[in-house]
Amino acid sequence: MSPRTQPSASTGPSAAERFAAAKIRNRSRNLELFRTDLRFDLDPFQFAACDALDQGRSVLVAAPTGAGKTIVAEFAIWLAMRQPTAKVFYTTPMKALSNQKYSELVDVYGESEVGLLTGDTNVNPRARVVVMTTEVLRNMIYADSDLLDDLAWVVLDEVHYLADRFRGAVWEEVILHLPTEVRLVSLSATVSNAEEFGDWLQTVRGDTDVIVSEDRPVPLEQHVLVGSKMVDLFDSSGAAATNRVNPELLRLVGGASRSERHGGGHRGGRGRGGYHDRRGPRTEKLHRERIAHMLDERMLLPAIFFVFSRNGCDQGVRNVLRSGLSLTTAPERNEIRETAEYHCRTLLDEDLAVLGYWEWLEGLERGIAAHHAGLLPAFKEVVEDLFQRKLLKVVFATETLALGVNMPARTVVLEKLEKFNGEARVPITPGEYTQLTGRAGRRGIDVEGHSVIQWSDGLDPQAVASLASRRTYPLNSSFKPTYNMAVNLIDQFGRQRTREVLETSFAQFQADRSVVDLARKVRSQQESLDGYQQAMQCHLGDFTEYAALRRELSDLERTNVPGGREASHGARAERQAAITDVRRRMQRHPCHACPDREAHARWSERWYKLKRANDKLVQQIRSRTGAVATTFDRVTDVLLELGYLVATGNGEATVAAGGRRLQRIYGERDLLVAECLEAGVWKDLTPAQLAAMAATIVYQPRREDAPGTEHALPRGAFRPALDETLTIWARLDDIERDARLAGSQPPTPAMAVGMFRWASGSALDDVLRTLDLPAGDFVRWSKQVIDLLDQVRNAGDEDLAQTARRATDAVRRGIVAYAAV
C-alpha cells in the first residue's frame, strides 16, 4: 500500500460521513439544543430514543433499572413545552412514584406548570405537565374528559406492569383507547420479548421505535456468602468460560453439583429445582447483624437486604438493633431526627406509641430501617428520603421495593432464592433476580454494584449460577374484559366495533402469535400422520378399525387384573365377557390374518399417539383464537341478562340506565356494587355503616392476615344489608358461572368492625387492635374504601351520595388523612 492510500489516525471523516452527520444534526436540532443543557452526554440508547421522539415517533425503551430511561421522558416533556399549548401526561403504577416524579418536575418547571392526580390528590389538573397513576388516565379516557384536549405525549413509566395479573389490563386499555394522535413514551425494565411488545405497539399505535439496552450503567459483581466467607459466584480467571462457577465456591460448599459429577461417589436425596443432595459439612448461616458489620468493614454499604416477608423485614431491624451496631455519625443522626420529625409532624402524639414511632426512630438514627407495604406511608416516605440522601445504611425490604421508587444501593443481599407465592414456596425466577439485583450500583457514585447471595444447605451452585446469568423476563399480557370496560366501550363504539377493538389487545396478539406456531406444528405433524397412515395400510382390510379393537382389548385387560378389590365379582365377570367379545371380533377381522400385521400395528400405534397429541394442539388453537372477544361476548351476555345493556338488533346493544351507573364504578366487584345500588340495598346505612360495607366489598385478606372477628358486626341496618349483599353476590356468581366466566370469591366482612369503629371516631390503638393489621395495611385499605365511597357518591342517588360523602370524611382522618396529602 502506498503512503498516499495508507489510512492514518489523523485522517478526518470523509465527505459522505460529514454529509450524514450534518443531516442528522439538521434533523435533530431540538435534540442538540436539549443536550446542551445536560450535565452529561447521552448514552447510545438514550440518543436513539430521543432522536425517534424528535421525528414525531412513539418509542418503547427497555433498559435495566438505573440505566437512565427517564431522560427520554424528560425530552418528550421538553418538546411539548416548546409548543404553545401541548400537554404531557406522565403516568406511573404507584402513587409513591407519582409523588416522587411530581416533586422532580416541579423543581424543573415550577408549580404552575405541573399537576398531580392520584385519586387521593388533585393538584393543578389543567397544568401543561400532569403526573398521575395509570388508572386515573384510564378513567379520564372513559369519561371523555376535556383534560385530554391538546394532549401530545403520554409517558407510560414501568409499562412492564402490563403483566400484573390484578392491574395490568389498565395499561392495555390506555394504549388501545388514547386518541390516535397522542404519541407514547413507554419505559420498561429489560424484557426478553421487547420486540414482540413493540410489534404490537406498532400495530395499534402506528410509528413506534423499539430501543433495547441490556447494558447495566454500573457493572454487577456477584458474590456468595458461605458461612462468614464471601466469594465470587463466577470464576474470574482470564481462561474461565463465561458464567463458569467459581471453583473456590464449589470447594466451600462440598463439591460440584450433580450435573458436573461423573457417576459413583456419594448419593443423597433427590434434587428439586435449585437444590441437590447435601454433601460435606453443614454451613452455618451468618446472622444479619454480622453481615451488616461485614459489609460496613468492606465499604459495601448502603445495602438493601431483600427478605420475602414483612415480619422478616421487621425482625431484621430488631436483630441489628439488639446487637448494638450503629452505622451513622453524630451529624447524620441529627439530620435523620430532623427529617423524621418533619415528615411525621402531623401525627397525633397519642398515636406515636401505637405506631412504634420511638423504636422506629431509634433504628433510623443508627442507619437501619425496614421498607414494606405494612409500613405507615409517612414512615415509608422518611425511609425513602433518607436512603436517597445516603443517611440510611441498611434497609430490610420486601421485593416490592425492586419495582417501586428509586432507591439504588451499593449492595443487594438475598437471604433466600425462594419465596411464598400465596400457595407454595417457589424459586424466584431469573426475571425476579434481575429486578432485585437491579438496585445494586448507584450511577455516578459507584464504579460497580454488588449482589450477595447467602448460601443455604441444599442449594446447587450450578443452578444458582444459571439463575444469576440468565436475563429472561418475558412480558405477558394479563388483559381481560370487565363489566365496566364493556359498558364504557359499547357506549363509545357499539358492540361489534368494541369486539374488533378488543381483538387488537396485546393478549390476543400474543395468543395469535402462539396460534401461528401451533398451526405450524399441526401442519408438520399432519405430514407425519399421513406417512404413518400410509405405512399401516393393509391389503386385507381397514387396519385403523382393527387397531381400535386391539386398543379396546388392551384397555379392558388392564382393568380386569386378577385379585383386584376395586369391583365386585359380577362386575369383573361383565368385563371378562366384554374381553371375550372384543377378542372374538378382533380375530374375525380380515387384518388379523395379515402376515405383516405386527409391522402395521407398530405404525398404527405411532399414528394413534401422534393423532392424540395433534388433536390437543388443534383444541388449543380453537381456545386461543378470539379468546378475548369470546370473554367479551360472555361479559356482554351477562350485562344483557341483567338489563345493563339493551339489544338493538344486528348484534348491537345500547347502554341502559343501570349501565350508565356501572360506567362510573371501577374495581374487581364493579357489577356487585352496581347491583347493590340498583336494588337500594345500602340506602338505610349510616355513614359509619356504609364505610364498613365498603370495607367488606374491597377487602381481600392475605393468607397470613387474621383481622378482627365478625361476631361484633355493626347492628341496625348493617346486618340485613350485608345479608342482601351476599345474596346478590351468590346470584351473580351463578349467572357468571352459567355464562362460563370465572366467578369470584364472596365478600368478607372481616374488616367491617374495625372500619365501622374508625369511621365512628374510635382511637387508632383500638382499631388496629380490633383488626390485628399493621398501620400501613390499614391505611392502604382505608384509601381503597375512600375510593369506593367516591364511586358510590358519583353513581348513587342523592341521599346515598350524601351518606357516602359523610362516610368519606369520617374515614379520612388521622393517619389516613396524612397519607392522602
Side-chain angles (χ1 to χ4, degrees):
M1 183 178 289
S2 68
R4 181 182 297 275
T5 59
Q6 186 174 359
S8 167
S10 61
T11 302
S14 67
E17 290 171 333
R18 290 197 301 275
F19 175 76
K23 188 175 180 181
I24 291 173
R25 283 196 301 273
N26 186 54
R27 186 187 70 195
S28 305
R29 281 199 201 94
N30 285 325
L31 181 52
E32 291 302 316
L33 284 172
F34 178 70
R35 292 173 71 182
T36 59
D37 293 334
L38 298 177
R39 300 187 308 274
F40 53 87
D41 199 14
L42 295 176
D43 290 340
F45 86 89
Q46 294 170 327
F47 182 88
C50 291
D51 185 48
L53 297 185
D54 204 11
Q55 297 176 58
R57 300 171 65 85
S58 296
V59 294
L60 166 65
V61 182
T65 301
K69 295 186 289 290
T70 53
I71 196 70
V72 183
E74 289 167 15
F75 181 57
I77 296 171
W78 187 88
L79 285 173
M81 297 301 280
R82 289 175 63 81
Q83 300 175 34
T85 60
K87 294 197 297 190
V88 180
F89 287 171
Y90 194 114
T91 75
T92 76
M94 290 180 289
K95 294 173 184 177
L97 277 172
S98 294
N99 294 335
Q100 187 180 61
K101 182 54 62 177
Y102 169 74
S103 299
E104 292 173 3
L105 291 172
V106 165
D107 290 343
V108 177
Y109 294 103
E111 289 187 357
S112 63
E113 298 288 0
V114 185
L116 177 65
L117 295 172
T118 64
D120 292 336
T121 308
N122 187 328
V123 177
N124 200 13
R126 297 193 175 275
R128 296 278 303 280
V129 183
V130 185
V131 184
M132 62 187 69
T133 52
T134 317
E135 279 85 353
V136 168
L137 177 54
R138 186 271 310 273
N139 298 350
M140 211 183 279
I141 292 170
Y142 284 163
D144 197 21
S145 169
D146 63 351
L147 294 178
L148 296 168
D149 294 345
D150 297 320
L151 182 61
W153 298 95
V154 166
V155 178
L156 296 175
D157 202 357
E158 310 280 355
V159 73
H160 50 272
Y161 262 79
L162 182 143
D164 184 89
R165 68 190 182 101
F166 297 111
R167 301 172 56 213
V170 175
W171 275 258
E172 287 193 52
E173 291 176 73
V174 166
I175 291 168
L176 286 171
H177 304 308
L178 270 173
T180 54
E181 67 274 12
V182 176
R183 285 155 293 176
L184 294 185
V185 180
S186 304
L187 307 179
S188 170
T190 305
V191 294
S192 53
N193 61 335
E195 288 77 11
E196 179 188 41
F197 184 51
D199 287 347
W200 174 69
L201 288 172
Q202 173 78 26
T203 301
V204 297
R205 300 295 312 176
D207 292 340
T208 302
D209 285 4
V210 179
I211 291 95
V212 177
S213 174
E214 296 188 3
D215 295 329
R216 282 180 54 97
V218 181
L220 180 67
E221 295 292 326
Q222 305 189 75
H223 316 282
V224 178
L225 184 61
V226 184
S228 60
K229 188 173 180 62
M230 191 162 75
V231 297
D232 291 342
L233 172 58
F234 297 112
D235 189 347
S236 58
S237 64
T242 304
N243 296 333
R244 175 186 162 192
V245 178
N246 184 356
E248 184 181 1
L249 173 61
L250 295 176
R251 286 194 298 273
L252 279 173
V253 300
S257 65
R258 181 191 299 108
S259 61
E260 295 176 318
R261 296 178 202 142
H262 301 285
H266 174 83
R267 294 185 183 273
R270 293 175 59 190
R272 180 176 62 85
Y275 294 82
H276 70 102
D277 46 339
R278 297 190 176 113
R279 298 174 48 140
R282 290 181 59 83
T283 304
E284 293 297 327
K285 295 185 73 169
L286 208 60
H287 292 163
R288 291 160 170 164
E289 61 273 17
R290 291 186 61 194
I291 298 175
H293 183 66
M294 174 191 291
L295 296 177
D296 186 31
E297 288 182 328
R298 296 185 181 213
M299 307 292 289
L300 292 178
L301 296 181
I304 298 173
F305 285 64
F306 279 113
V307 184
F308 298 121
S309 78
R310 300 177 184 183
N311 289 337
C313 292
D314 295 334
Q315 187 60 48
V317 174
R318 289 192 290 269
N319 291 153
V320 179
L321 292 183
R322 275 199 300 266
S323 73
L325 182 65
S326 182
L327 301 168
T328 54
T329 63
E332 287 176 332
R333 287 192 287 275
N334 291 334
E335 192 174 348
I336 287 168
R337 178 177 283 272
E338 289 175 5
T339 301
E341 289 177 348
Y342 173 78
H343 279 275
C344 299
R345 66 192 182 281
T346 60
L347 296 177
L348 301 175
D349 289 343
E350 59 265 30
D351 290 342
L352 294 180
V354 178
L355 298 169
Y357 174 82
W358 305 110
E359 297 85 347
W360 172 72
L361 182 60
E362 180 193 357
L364 293 181
E365 291 183 336
R366 287 161 62 176
I368 303 147
H371 188 287
H372 55 71
L375 210 60
L376 189 70
F379 288 8
K380 278 202 289 190
E381 287 177 22
V382 173
V383 171
E384 291 160 9
D385 183 16
L386 294 177
F387 198 83
Q388 289 164 2
R389 287 157 55 194
K390 300 186 282 295
L391 293 171
L392 281 183
K393 314 301 180 183
V394 172
V395 170
F396 293 91
T398 54
E399 72 269 28
T400 52
L401 176 59
L403 300 170
V405 294
N406 181 29
M407 280 179 61
R410 177 166 294 169
T411 303
V412 161
V413 180
L414 300 179
E415 293 191 343
K416 294 180 179 178
L417 295 180
E418 61 176 16
K419 66 175 186 176
F420 185 72
N421 68 356
E423 296 177 358
R425 298 206 68 83
V426 297
I428 64 172
T429 66
E432 289 168 333
Y433 181 88
T434 301
Q435 287 285 338
L436 296 169
T437 56
R439 289 290 172 197
R442 300 163 298 174
R443 191 171 192 178
I445 301 174
D446 300 318
V447 295
E448 59 191 19
H450 298 265
S451 70
V452 179
I453 298 169
Q454 192 170 13
W455 187 262
S456 298
D457 288 315
L459 283 175
D460 179 347
Q462 196 60 54
V464 173
S466 175
L467 174 75
S469 60
R470 289 164 59 202
R471 291 291 177 266
T472 55
Y473 191 78
L475 181 61
N476 294 316
S477 172
S478 60
F479 182 84
K480 60 180 180 180
T482 65
Y483 298 108
N484 169 271
M485 184 194 305
V487 291
N488 273 296
L489 294 181
I490 288 173
D491 191 38
Q492 282 188 303
F493 304 119
R495 183 178 182 181
Q496 294 303 322
R497 173 65 183 139
T498 295
R499 200 176 191 279
E500 293 170 7
V501 168
L502 294 181
E503 285 181 326
T504 66
S505 67
F506 187 46
Q508 192 58 56
F509 185 82
Q510 287 190 304
D512 289 342
R513 283 208 163 185
S514 68
V515 163
V516 170
D517 293 335
L518 289 173
R520 187 182 299 116
K521 191 171 182 180
V522 166
R523 286 195 300 272
S524 173
Q525 292 186 166
Q526 187 60 53
E527 292 176 6
S528 298
L529 283 170
D530 293 341
Y532 293 166
Q533 198 157 26
Q534 187 66 35
M536 62 189 255
Q537 289 297 318
C538 179
H539 66 288
L540 296 177
D542 185 350
F543 203 88
T544 303
E545 186 179 80
Y546 177 73
L549 288 171
R550 285 173 62 117
R551 279 192 297 275
E552 185 180 355
L553 178 63
S554 177
D555 291 342
L556 285 168
E557 288 176 337
R558 269 200 303 271
T559 58
N560 202 42
V561 179
R565 298 181 180 178
E566 76 289 350
S568 66
H569 175 75
R572 288 200 298 274
E574 286 181 15
R575 278 204 296 270
Q576 186 58 52
I579 289 172
T580 301
D581 176 63
V582 173
R583 184 176 288 129
R584 184 183 301 113
R585 285 189 287 142
M586 189 181 77
Q587 290 170 348
R588 291 176 178 175
H589 196 282
C591 292
H592 191 67
C594 180
D596 298 323
R597 182 185 66 200
E598 293 309 313
H600 292 331
R602 285 193 294 272
W603 286 111
S604 171
E605 192 60 28
R606 292 176 188 173
W607 177 88
Y608 176 69
K609 288 180 179 178
L610 188 59
K611 181 73 165 62
R612 279 196 308 179
N614 220 40
D615 288 346
K616 286 182 180 178
L617 290 179
V618 171
Q619 186 57 42
Q620 286 183 45
I621 290 173
R622 288 174 180 162
S623 66
R624 294 185 190 185
T625 303
V628 174
T630 299
T631 302
F632 167 72
D633 288 339
R634 293 169 182 171
V635 166
T636 303
D637 288 343
V638 170
L639 293 173
L640 286 167
E641 179 179 345
L642 294 173
Y644 290 91
L645 297 174
V646 177
T648 58
N650 298 320
E652 283 297 339
T654 58
V655 179
R660 298 290 174 195
R661 177 181 289 116
L662 181 56
Q663 284 181 276
R664 299 190 291 275
I665 301 169
Y666 304 92
E668 289 189 44
R669 298 196 186 276
D670 49 5
L671 189 58
L672 174 61
V673 173
E675 281 286 279
C676 289
L677 295 181
E678 190 77 14
V681 171
W682 303 338
K683 62 183 176 62
D684 295 327
L685 297 179
T686 66
Q689 289 173 339
L690 186 59
M693 186 62 72
T696 300
I697 297 295
V698 302
Y699 182 65
Q700 296 174 353
R702 288 158 50 95
R703 183 185 178 107
E704 61 267 38
D705 284 349
T709 58
E710 300 172 19
H711 68 273
L713 288 174
R715 298 185 181 279
F718 181 84
R719 295 192 184 196
L722 176 61
D723 290 340
E724 288 188 63
T725 299
L726 293 174
T727 299
I728 291 173
W729 167 82
R731 176 172 56 84
L732 290 178
D733 193 58
D734 288 341
I735 292 172
E736 287 178 319
R737 294 183 190 279
D738 288 344
R740 289 181 293 168
L741 292 169
S744 61
Q745 293 297 312
T748 171
M751 195 178 175
V753 178
M755 186 56 63
F756 175 79
R757 291 181 181 176
W758 176 255
S760 299
S762 292
L764 177 65
D765 186 22
D766 174 54
V767 172
L768 294 182
R769 195 166 51 245
T770 298
L771 292 174
D772 192 21
L773 279 179
D777 280 346
F778 173 67
V779 169
R780 181 164 55 89
W781 290 116
S782 295
K783 289 194 284 188
Q784 292 194 38
V785 165
I786 289 171
D787 187 43
L788 178 56
L789 290 171
D790 284 340
Q791 294 175 41
V792 170
R793 181 169 54 85
N794 291 328
D797 59 34
E798 186 174 343
D799 290 342
L800 188 60
Q802 290 182 2
T803 304
R805 189 177 296 109
R806 292 197 295 272
T808 299
D809 293 339
V811 175
R812 190 184 280 125
R813 66 180 181 89
I815 61 172
V816 178
Y818 174 85
V821 174

